[in-house]
Amino acid sequence: QVQLVESGGGSVRQGGSLRLSCAVSGIRMDYTVIGWYRQAPGKEREGVSCINSNDASTYYADSVKGRFTISRDIAKNTVYLQMNSLKPEDTAVYYCAGLRGVVSDIPYDMDFWGRGTLVTVSS
């Protein structure tokens, strides 16, 4: 059974940093694209970043490019999202998600989803 569990959310002031973690189980990470999505109240879900299964290539939404970094640690079965220079508009519930196969961009949808972790950035 595939399970994705997010952690690391919290409240920070603008300009601060936060690192989210996604613990992956039930599937090999080198067979699975892992991505981060976010949804703010009243807004549509947005794909933030993903890391490819085969070669760990990465993709980012324009809104976070240069500020966020996705990475994975195969040995720890964990994917991270390092978020720097946070802005109030980054406030959202962040979801970890997985997709079997490979991608060439952030997928619109994924096969597996975590429950989410809340990130709040205050001004």
PDB file of all heavy atoms in Angstrom, residues 41-72:
ATOM      1  N   PRO A  41      -6.939  28.586   0.558  1.00  0.00           N
ATOM      2  CA  PRO A  41      -8.393  28.688   0.662  1.00  0.00           C
ATOM      3  C   PRO A  41      -8.998  29.457  -0.502  1.00  0.00           C
ATOM      4  O   PRO A  41      -8.543  30.545  -0.851  1.00  0.00           O
ATOM      5  CB  PRO A  41      -8.594  29.442   1.982  1.00  0.00           C
ATOM      6  CG  PRO A  41      -7.374  29.130   2.777  1.00  0.00           C
ATOM      7  CD  PRO A  41      -6.254  29.061   1.773  1.00  0.00           C
ATOM      8  N   GLY A  42     -10.012  28.874  -1.115  1.00  0.00           N
ATOM      9  CA  GLY A  42     -10.698  29.521  -2.210  1.00  0.00           C
ATOM     10  C   GLY A  42      -9.968  29.508  -3.535  1.00  0.00           C
ATOM     11  O   GLY A  42     -10.457  30.110  -4.503  1.00  0.00           O
ATOM     12  N   LYS A  43      -8.830  28.853  -3.600  1.00  0.00           N
ATOM     13  CA  LYS A  43      -8.048  28.818  -4.827  1.00  0.00           C
ATOM     14  C   LYS A  43      -7.893  27.391  -5.333  1.00  0.00           C
ATOM     15  O   LYS A  43      -8.046  26.419  -4.590  1.00  0.00           O
ATOM     16  CB  LYS A  43      -6.671  29.439  -4.612  1.00  0.00           C
ATOM     17  CG  LYS A  43      -6.692  30.906  -4.236  1.00  0.00           C
ATOM     18  CD  LYS A  43      -5.301  31.497  -4.172  1.00  0.00           C
ATOM     19  CE  LYS A  43      -4.661  31.564  -5.543  1.00  0.00           C
ATOM     20  NZ  LYS A  43      -3.325  32.215  -5.505  1.00  0.00           N
ATOM     21  N   GLU A  44      -7.596  27.287  -6.603  1.00  0.00           N
ATOM     22  CA  GLU A  44      -7.385  25.993  -7.231  1.00  0.00           C
ATOM     23  C   GLU A  44      -6.046  25.414  -6.798  1.00  0.00           C
ATOM     24  O   GLU A  44      -5.094  26.135  -6.503  1.00  0.00           O
ATOM     25  CB  GLU A  44      -7.440  26.154  -8.747  1.00  0.00           C
ATOM     26  CG  GLU A  44      -7.542  24.861  -9.513  1.00  0.00           C
ATOM     27  CD  GLU A  44      -7.793  25.105 -10.985  1.00  0.00           C
ATOM     28  OE1 GLU A  44      -6.840  25.489 -11.695  1.00  0.00           O
ATOM     29  OE2 GLU A  44      -8.941  24.933 -11.420  1.00  0.00           O
ATOM     30  N   ARG A  45      -5.969  24.102  -6.768  1.00  0.00           N
ATOM     31  CA  ARG A  45      -4.719  23.438  -6.455  1.00  0.00           C
ATOM     32  C   ARG A  45      -3.661  23.768  -7.495  1.00  0.00           C
ATOM     33  O   ARG A  45      -3.935  23.818  -8.698  1.00  0.00           O
ATOM     34  CB  ARG A  45      -4.941  21.926  -6.398  1.00  0.00           C
ATOM     35  CG  ARG A  45      -3.732  21.144  -5.913  1.00  0.00           C
ATOM     36  CD  ARG A  45      -4.049  19.661  -5.873  1.00  0.00           C
ATOM     37  NE  ARG A  45      -4.276  19.130  -7.198  1.00  0.00           N
ATOM     38  CZ  ARG A  45      -5.013  18.051  -7.464  1.00  0.00           C
ATOM     39  NH1 ARG A  45      -5.614  17.407  -6.463  1.00  0.00           N
ATOM     40  NH2 ARG A  45      -5.158  17.630  -8.706  1.00  0.00           N
ATOM     41  N   GLU A  46      -2.451  23.979  -7.017  1.00  0.00           N
ATOM     42  CA  GLU A  46      -1.345  24.372  -7.866  1.00  0.00           C
ATOM     43  C   GLU A  46      -0.199  23.386  -7.719  1.00  0.00           C
ATOM     44  O   GLU A  46       0.207  23.053  -6.601  1.00  0.00           O
ATOM     45  CB  GLU A  46      -0.864  25.780  -7.496  1.00  0.00           C
ATOM     46  CG  GLU A  46       0.377  26.246  -8.223  1.00  0.00           C
ATOM     47  CD  GLU A  46       0.938  27.546  -7.690  1.00  0.00           C
ATOM     48  OE1 GLU A  46       0.633  27.892  -6.527  1.00  0.00           O
ATOM     49  OE2 GLU A  46       1.671  28.223  -8.435  1.00  0.00           O
ATOM     50  N   GLY A  47       0.329  22.936  -8.828  1.00  0.00           N
ATOM     51  CA  GLY A  47       1.528  22.126  -8.799  1.00  0.00           C
ATOM     52  C   GLY A  47       2.737  22.995  -8.520  1.00  0.00           C
ATOM     53  O   GLY A  47       3.002  23.945  -9.260  1.00  0.00           O
ATOM     54  N   VAL A  48       3.471  22.683  -7.481  1.00  0.00           N
ATOM     55  CA  VAL A  48       4.604  23.493  -7.042  1.00  0.00           C
ATOM     56  C   VAL A  48       5.909  22.995  -7.630  1.00  0.00           C
ATOM     57  O   VAL A  48       6.695  23.761  -8.184  1.00  0.00           O
ATOM     58  CB  VAL A  48       4.680  23.514  -5.504  1.00  0.00           C
ATOM     59  CG1 VAL A  48       5.929  24.252  -5.027  1.00  0.00           C
ATOM     60  CG2 VAL A  48       3.432  24.150  -4.922  1.00  0.00           C
ATOM     61  N   SER A  49       6.148  21.715  -7.499  1.00  0.00           N
ATOM     62  CA  SER A  49       7.413  21.134  -7.921  1.00  0.00           C
ATOM     63  C   SER A  49       7.276  19.627  -7.986  1.00  0.00           C
ATOM     64  O   SER A  49       6.431  19.049  -7.310  1.00  0.00           O
ATOM     65  CB  SER A  49       8.528  21.517  -6.936  1.00  0.00           C
ATOM     66  OG  SER A  49       9.780  20.995  -7.339  1.00  0.00           O
ATOM     67  N   CYS A  50       8.112  19.004  -8.781  1.00  0.00           N
ATOM     68  CA  CYS A  50       8.191  17.547  -8.751  1.00  0.00           C
ATOM     69  C   CYS A  50       9.597  17.101  -9.111  1.00  0.00           C
ATOM     70  O   CYS A  50      10.369  17.849  -9.720  1.00  0.00           O
ATOM     71  CB  CYS A  50       7.150  16.887  -9.652  1.00  0.00           C
ATOM     72  SG  CYS A  50       7.420  17.083 -11.424  1.00  0.00           S
ATOM     73  N   ILE A  51       9.893  15.882  -8.727  1.00  0.00           N
ATOM     74  CA  ILE A  51      11.185  15.281  -9.022  1.00  0.00           C
ATOM     75  C   ILE A  51      10.935  13.973  -9.750  1.00  0.00           C
ATOM     76  O   ILE A  51      10.102  13.166  -9.343  1.00  0.00           O
ATOM     77  CB  ILE A  51      12.028  15.104  -7.741  1.00  0.00           C
ATOM     78  CG1 ILE A  51      13.430  14.613  -8.082  1.00  0.00           C
ATOM     79  CG2 ILE A  51      11.345  14.187  -6.729  1.00  0.00           C
ATOM     80  CD1 ILE A  51      14.420  14.796  -6.938  1.00  0.00           C
ATOM     81  N   ASN A  52      11.641  13.776 -10.842  1.00  0.00           N
ATOM     82  CA  ASN A  52      11.387  12.632 -11.700  1.00  0.00           C
ATOM     83  C   ASN A  52      11.864  11.338 -11.058  1.00  0.00           C
ATOM     84  O   ASN A  52      12.748  11.327 -10.199  1.00  0.00           O
ATOM     85  CB  ASN A  52      12.052  12.833 -13.054  1.00  0.00           C
ATOM     86  CG  ASN A  52      11.126  12.561 -14.213  1.00  0.00           C
ATOM     87  OD1 ASN A  52      10.174  11.791 -14.096  1.00  0.00           O
ATOM     88  ND2 ASN A  52      11.402  13.190 -15.355  1.00  0.00           N
ATOM     89  N   SER A  53      11.283  10.255 -11.513  1.00  0.00           N
ATOM     90  CA  SER A  53      11.602   8.952 -10.954  1.00  0.00           C
ATOM     91  C   SER A  53      12.951   8.429 -11.408  1.00  0.00           C
ATOM     92  O   SER A  53      13.721   7.898 -10.605  1.00  0.00           O
ATOM     93  CB  SER A  53      10.518   7.938 -11.329  1.00  0.00           C
ATOM     94  OG  SER A  53      10.331   7.909 -12.741  1.00  0.00           O
ATOM     95  N   ASN A  54      13.231   8.565 -12.688  1.00  0.00           N
ATOM     96  CA  ASN A  54      14.389   7.901 -13.265  1.00  0.00           C
ATOM     97  C   ASN A  54      15.712   8.614 -13.011  1.00  0.00           C
ATOM     98  O   ASN A  54      16.688   7.996 -12.586  1.00  0.00           O
ATOM     99  CB  ASN A  54      14.190   7.691 -14.764  1.00  0.00           C
ATOM    100  CG  ASN A  54      13.909   8.987 -15.516  1.00  0.00           C
ATOM    101  OD1 ASN A  54      13.529   9.995 -14.932  1.00  0.00           O
ATOM    102  ND2 ASN A  54      14.104   8.944 -16.832  1.00  0.00           N
ATOM    103  N   ASP A  55      15.738   9.910 -13.251  1.00  0.00           N
ATOM    104  CA  ASP A  55      16.997  10.642 -13.191  1.00  0.00           C
ATOM    105  C   ASP A  55      17.001  11.784 -12.180  1.00  0.00           C
ATOM    106  O   ASP A  55      17.961  12.548 -12.129  1.00  0.00           O
ATOM    107  CB  ASP A  55      17.356  11.184 -14.571  1.00  0.00           C
ATOM    108  CG  ASP A  55      16.334  12.152 -15.126  1.00  0.00           C
ATOM    109  OD1 ASP A  55      15.301  12.381 -14.471  1.00  0.00           O
ATOM    110  OD2 ASP A  55      16.568  12.680 -16.232  1.00  0.00           O
ATOM    111  N   ALA A  56      15.929  11.916 -11.410  1.00  0.00           N
ATOM    112  CA  ALA A  56      15.794  12.949 -10.390  1.00  0.00           C
ATOM    113  C   ALA A  56      15.814  14.356 -10.963  1.00  0.00           C
ATOM    114  O   ALA A  56      16.147  15.313 -10.255  1.00  0.00           O
ATOM    115  CB  ALA A  56      16.862  12.800  -9.306  1.00  0.00           C
ATOM    116  N   SER A  57      15.474  14.493 -12.237  1.00  0.00           N
ATOM    117  CA  SER A  57      15.321  15.826 -12.795  1.00  0.00           C
ATOM    118  C   SER A  57      14.154  16.522 -12.100  1.00  0.00           C
ATOM    119  O   SER A  57      13.214  15.874 -11.630  1.00  0.00           O
ATOM    120  CB  SER A  57      15.106  15.771 -14.302  1.00  0.00           C
ATOM    121  OG  SER A  57      14.012  14.929 -14.639  1.00  0.00           O
ATOM    122  N   THR A  58      14.214  17.827 -12.045  1.00  0.00           N
ATOM    123  CA  THR A  58      13.244  18.583 -11.256  1.00  0.00           C
ATOM    124  C   THR A  58      12.512  19.612 -12.096  1.00  0.00           C
ATOM    125  O   THR A  58      13.024  20.104 -13.109  1.00  0.00           O
ATOM    126  CB  THR A  58      13.930  19.288 -10.076  1.00  0.00           C
ATOM    127  OG1 THR A  58      14.967  20.144 -10.569  1.00  0.00           O
ATOM    128  CG2 THR A  58      14.535  18.269  -9.122  1.00  0.00           C
ATOM    129  N   TYR A  59      11.326  19.941 -11.643  1.00  0.00           N
ATOM    130  CA  TYR A  59      10.468  20.919 -12.310  1.00  0.00           C
ATOM    131  C   TYR A  59       9.837  21.801 -11.257  1.00  0.00           C
ATOM    132  O   TYR A  59       9.499  21.340 -10.164  1.00  0.00           O
ATOM    133  CB  TYR A  59       9.385  20.213 -13.133  1.00  0.00           C
ATOM    134  CG  TYR A  59       9.947  19.258 -14.152  1.00  0.00           C
ATOM    135  CD1 TYR A  59      10.184  17.931 -13.828  1.00  0.00           C
ATOM    136  CD2 TYR A  59      10.270  19.697 -15.431  1.00  0.00           C
ATOM    137  CE1 TYR A  59      10.724  17.053 -14.748  1.00  0.00           C
ATOM    138  CE2 TYR A  59      10.811  18.826 -16.360  1.00  0.00           C
ATOM    139  CZ  TYR A  59      11.034  17.502 -16.018  1.00  0.00           C
ATOM    140  OH  TYR A  59      11.571  16.642 -16.942  1.00  0.00           O
ATOM    141  N   TYR A  60       9.665  23.076 -11.595  1.00  0.00           N
ATOM    142  CA  TYR A  60       9.143  24.038 -10.651  1.00  0.00           C
ATOM    143  C   TYR A  60       8.118  24.943 -11.309  1.00  0.00           C
ATOM    144  O   TYR A  60       8.244  25.307 -12.479  1.00  0.00           O
ATOM    145  CB  TYR A  60      10.259  24.926 -10.098  1.00  0.00           C
ATOM    146  CG  TYR A  60      11.300  24.173  -9.313  1.00  0.00           C
ATOM    147  CD1 TYR A  60      12.448  23.699  -9.929  1.00  0.00           C
ATOM    148  CD2 TYR A  60      11.134  23.945  -7.954  1.00  0.00           C
ATOM    149  CE1 TYR A  60      13.402  23.008  -9.214  1.00  0.00           C
ATOM    150  CE2 TYR A  60      12.087  23.254  -7.231  1.00  0.00           C
ATOM    151  CZ  TYR A  60      13.215  22.786  -7.860  1.00  0.00           C
ATOM    152  OH  TYR A  60      14.163  22.099  -7.139  1.00  0.00           O
ATOM    153  N   ALA A  61       7.126  25.309 -10.527  1.00  0.00           N
ATOM    154  CA  ALA A  61       6.223  26.369 -10.954  1.00  0.00           C
ATOM    155  C   ALA A  61       6.976  27.684 -10.992  1.00  0.00           C
ATOM    156  O   ALA A  61       7.892  27.922 -10.195  1.00  0.00           O
ATOM    157  CB  ALA A  61       5.042  26.469  -9.998  1.00  0.00           C
ATOM    158  N   ASP A  62       6.603  28.543 -11.920  1.00  0.00           N
ATOM    159  CA  ASP A  62       7.267  29.836 -12.038  1.00  0.00           C
ATOM    160  C   ASP A  62       7.197  30.632 -10.735  1.00  0.00           C
ATOM    161  O   ASP A  62       8.120  31.380 -10.413  1.00  0.00           O
ATOM    162  CB  ASP A  62       6.649  30.652 -13.168  1.00  0.00           C
ATOM    163  CG  ASP A  62       6.994  30.114 -14.542  1.00  0.00           C
ATOM    164  OD1 ASP A  62       7.956  29.333 -14.663  1.00  0.00           O
ATOM    165  OD2 ASP A  62       6.300  30.482 -15.508  1.00  0.00           O
ATOM    166  N   SER A  63       6.126  30.459 -10.000  1.00  0.00           N
ATOM    167  CA  SER A  63       5.921  31.230  -8.787  1.00  0.00           C
ATOM    168  C   SER A  63       6.916  30.898  -7.678  1.00  0.00           C
ATOM    169  O   SER A  63       7.090  31.696  -6.756  1.00  0.00           O
ATOM    170  CB  SER A  63       4.493  31.030  -8.269  1.00  0.00           C
ATOM    171  OG  SER A  63       4.227  29.664  -8.021  1.00  0.00           O
ATOM    172  N   VAL A  64       7.561  29.746  -7.764  1.00  0.00           N
ATOM    173  CA  VAL A  64       8.494  29.343  -6.711  1.00  0.00           C
ATOM    174  C   VAL A  64       9.911  29.151  -7.216  1.00  0.00           C
ATOM    175  O   VAL A  64      10.820  28.908  -6.406  1.00  0.00           O
ATOM    176  CB  VAL A  64       8.027  28.053  -6.010  1.00  0.00           C
ATOM    177  CG1 VAL A  64       6.595  28.194  -5.517  1.00  0.00           C
ATOM    178  CG2 VAL A  64       8.175  26.845  -6.928  1.00  0.00           C
ATOM    179  N   LYS A  65      10.119  29.278  -8.497  1.00  0.00           N
ATOM    180  CA  LYS A  65      11.430  29.047  -9.081  1.00  0.00           C
ATOM    181  C   LYS A  65      12.464  29.995  -8.474  1.00  0.00           C
ATOM    182  O   LYS A  65      12.243  31.196  -8.385  1.00  0.00           O
ATOM    183  CB  LYS A  65      11.358  29.219 -10.595  1.00  0.00           C
ATOM    184  CG  LYS A  65      12.479  28.558 -11.365  1.00  0.00           C
ATOM    185  CD  LYS A  65      12.158  28.526 -12.865  1.00  0.00           C
ATOM    186  CE  LYS A  65      10.938  27.666 -13.160  1.00  0.00           C
ATOM    187  NZ  LYS A  65      10.627  27.597 -14.613  1.00  0.00           N
ATOM    188  N   GLY A  66      13.574  29.437  -8.065  1.00  0.00           N
ATOM    189  CA  GLY A  66      14.620  30.215  -7.433  1.00  0.00           C
ATOM    190  C   GLY A  66      14.489  30.320  -5.933  1.00  0.00           C
ATOM    191  O   GLY A  66      15.443  30.732  -5.261  1.00  0.00           O
ATOM    192  N   ARG A  67      13.339  29.972  -5.397  1.00  0.00           N
ATOM    193  CA  ARG A  67      13.111  30.036  -3.959  1.00  0.00           C
ATOM    194  C   ARG A  67      12.945  28.653  -3.326  1.00  0.00           C
ATOM    195  O   ARG A  67      13.351  28.449  -2.185  1.00  0.00           O
ATOM    196  CB  ARG A  67      11.859  30.863  -3.646  1.00  0.00           C
ATOM    197  CG  ARG A  67      11.950  32.305  -4.115  1.00  0.00           C
ATOM    198  CD  ARG A  67      10.779  33.129  -3.586  1.00  0.00           C
ATOM    199  NE  ARG A  67       9.501  32.642  -4.106  1.00  0.00           N
ATOM    200  CZ  ARG A  67       8.500  32.212  -3.343  1.00  0.00           C
ATOM    201  NH1 ARG A  67       8.621  32.211  -2.019  1.00  0.00           N
ATOM    202  NH2 ARG A  67       7.361  31.802  -3.902  1.00  0.00           N
ATOM    203  N   PHE A  68      12.345  27.737  -4.056  1.00  0.00           N
ATOM    204  CA  PHE A  68      12.084  26.394  -3.545  1.00  0.00           C
ATOM    205  C   PHE A  68      13.008  25.398  -4.227  1.00  0.00           C
ATOM    206  O   PHE A  68      13.336  25.540  -5.407  1.00  0.00           O
ATOM    207  CB  PHE A  68      10.641  25.978  -3.812  1.00  0.00           C
ATOM    208  CG  PHE A  68       9.592  26.711  -3.023  1.00  0.00           C
ATOM    209  CD1 PHE A  68       9.887  27.848  -2.292  1.00  0.00           C
ATOM    210  CD2 PHE A  68       8.292  26.236  -3.025  1.00  0.00           C
ATOM    211  CE1 PHE A  68       8.910  28.512  -1.580  1.00  0.00           C
ATOM    212  CE2 PHE A  68       7.307  26.888  -2.311  1.00  0.00           C
ATOM    213  CZ  PHE A  68       7.608  28.029  -1.591  1.00  0.00           C
ATOM    214  N   THR A  69      13.378  24.358  -3.499  1.00  0.00           N
ATOM    215  CA  THR A  69      14.199  23.292  -4.042  1.00  0.00           C
ATOM    216  C   THR A  69      13.644  21.946  -3.608  1.00  0.00           C
ATOM    217  O   THR A  69      13.451  21.710  -2.414  1.00  0.00           O
ATOM    218  CB  THR A  69      15.658  23.408  -3.576  1.00  0.00           C
ATOM    219  OG1 THR A  69      16.190  24.684  -3.942  1.00  0.00           O
ATOM    220  CG2 THR A  69      16.510  22.311  -4.220  1.00  0.00           C
ATOM    221  N   ILE A  70      13.393  21.088  -4.579  1.00  0.00           N
ATOM    222  CA  ILE A  70      12.942  19.738  -4.270  1.00  0.00           C
ATOM    223  C   ILE A  70      14.131  18.790  -4.364  1.00  0.00           C
ATOM    224  O   ILE A  70      15.014  18.954  -5.212  1.00  0.00           O
ATOM    225  CB  ILE A  70      11.798  19.303  -5.215  1.00  0.00           C
ATOM    226  CG1 ILE A  70      11.143  18.011  -4.725  1.00  0.00           C
ATOM    227  CG2 ILE A  70      12.286  19.154  -6.651  1.00  0.00           C
ATOM    228  CD1 ILE A  70       9.852  17.664  -5.474  1.00  0.00           C
ATOM    229  N   SER A  71      14.162  17.822  -3.486  1.00  0.00           N
ATOM    230  CA  SER A  71      15.230  16.834  -3.494  1.00  0.00           C
ATOM    231  C   SER A  71      14.705  15.532  -2.917  1.00  0.00           C
ATOM    232  O   SER A  71      13.639  15.498  -2.315  1.00  0.00           O
ATOM    233  CB  SER A  71      16.450  17.325  -2.708  1.00  0.00           C
ATOM    234  OG  SER A  71      16.126  17.536  -1.344  1.00  0.00           O
ATOM    235  N   ARG A  72      15.472  14.476  -3.102  1.00  0.00           N
ATOM    236  CA  ARG A  72      15.076  13.198  -2.525  1.00  0.00           C
ATOM    237  C   ARG A  72      16.271  12.482  -1.929  1.00  0.00           C
ATOM    238  O   ARG A  72      17.412  12.668  -2.354  1.00  0.00           O
ATOM    239  CB  ARG A  72      14.392  12.311  -3.567  1.00  0.00           C
ATOM    240  CG  ARG A  72      15.321  11.752  -4.637  1.00  0.00           C
ATOM    241  CD  ARG A  72      14.549  10.943  -5.675  1.00  0.00           C
ATOM    242  NE  ARG A  72      15.444  10.290  -6.627  1.00  0.00           N
ATOM    243  CZ  ARG A  72      15.042   9.639  -7.707  1.00  0.00           C
ATOM    244  NH1 ARG A  72      13.751   9.543  -7.990  1.00  0.00           N
ATOM    245  NH2 ARG A  72      15.947   9.075  -8.516  1.00  0.00           N
TER     246      ARG A  72
END
